[in-house]
Amino acid sequence: EDQRRRLRVVIRYCQSGRYHEAIDEATKLCEEAPKNAEVWNQRAIAWYQLKEYKKSAHDCMQALERNPYHFGAAV
């Protein structure tokens, strides 16, 4: 439950343009719950918004490795 709550925080950070905070929290979650595709996807979104395209693409690939049907990461 704690990880779900923290993922919701990451999503809110991304939605409100707080990308550095989203990356910080998502990085911790990626280490704690590496199988969670959405954590990788949210961090990819934050990297993309900061114009860190290689990092974003890397995280999209990580999300797709965990969930090959993850639409957001595939687009």
Side-chain angles (χ1 to χ4, degrees):
E1 181 58 35
D2 179 59
Q3 290 175 349
R4 286 188 202 137
R5 180 193 58 76
R6 289 168 54 206
L7 176 58
R8 288 191 299 268
V9 169
V10 171
I11 292 168
R12 282 195 299 272
Y13 284 157
C14 282
Q15 291 173 338
S16 63
R18 297 166 64 183
Y19 303 117
H20 292 286
E21 291 166 281
I23 289 167
D24 289 343
E25 187 63 28
T27 298
K28 294 173 194 170
L29 278 172
C30 286
E31 293 169 1
E32 292 175 28
K35 293 182 182 180
N36 187 325
E38 188 56 31
V39 173
W40 292 96
N41 183 60
Q42 288 300 316
R43 192 170 77 168
I45 291 169
W47 283 128
Y48 184 86
Q49 292 300 324
L50 293 173
K51 297 181 178 20
E52 292 283 352
Y53 302 121
K54 286 183 181 180
K55 292 177 182 179
S56 178
H58 173 268
D59 283 357
C60 284
M61 292 303 298
Q62 294 298 315
L64 289 169
E65 283 183 21
R66 286 141 180 88
N67 177 1
Y69 303 103
H70 194 292
F71 182 78
V75 180

